[in-house]
Amino acid sequence: MATEPDVAVLVGLQAAGKSTFYAQCLAGRYALVSKDLFPRGARNRQGRQMRLVAEHLAAGRAVAVDNTNPSPQEWGPLVEAAHAHGATVTAYWFPPDVTGSLRRNAAREGRDRVPDVGVLATAKRLRRPSPRDGFDAVREVRFDGRGGFRVRDRTDDTRSAGAETVP
């Protein structure tokens, strides 16, 4: 797990690469919480998610929340929970590529595939996170073209921050 408690909030469209990014870059250091992992008919998904996040933080574990988290309505409670437990909170921003997300989503099967209208509805609500939203760090994540990701620190809201490529 991460050396100090941190909540990694993944923010982006469905099929933007968030789950793959978690698997390649955060797994082993961050516990995973995702509404996609709840049983199909699970009730009070938001309450269940917040309970799991609080349990991990209370145990001193870092946690990654892998959902679309498109706006302050979704990420606000996560930011509050992180700070209430003395943890930092990092936004991983996946800039929208609607065409790419729809293409990758179309290749999914079964429960993993989201109706196109769901992707488009999320795109309308999607907002770039910022330190003004309470995040301690904001990192922009893009595919690197080689099966990995390029991560840029955007905490200062400028375009000049350095990049790091992660497998």
Side-chain angles (χ1 to χ4, degrees), residues 39-50:
R40 198 159 189 70
R43 293 185 180 181
N44 193 8
R45 294 161 91 73
Q46 178 66 17
R48 186 178 202 170
Q49 171 180 276
M50 295 308 296

Side-chain angles (χ1 to χ4, degrees), residues 111-131:
R111 181 179 177 194
D112 291 337
R113 189 175 188 305
V114 177
D116 288 354
V117 69
V119 176
L120 297 172
T122 300
K124 287 180 181 176
R125 297 183 52 234
L126 189 63
R127 182 163 112 22
R128 181 176 180 248
S130 143

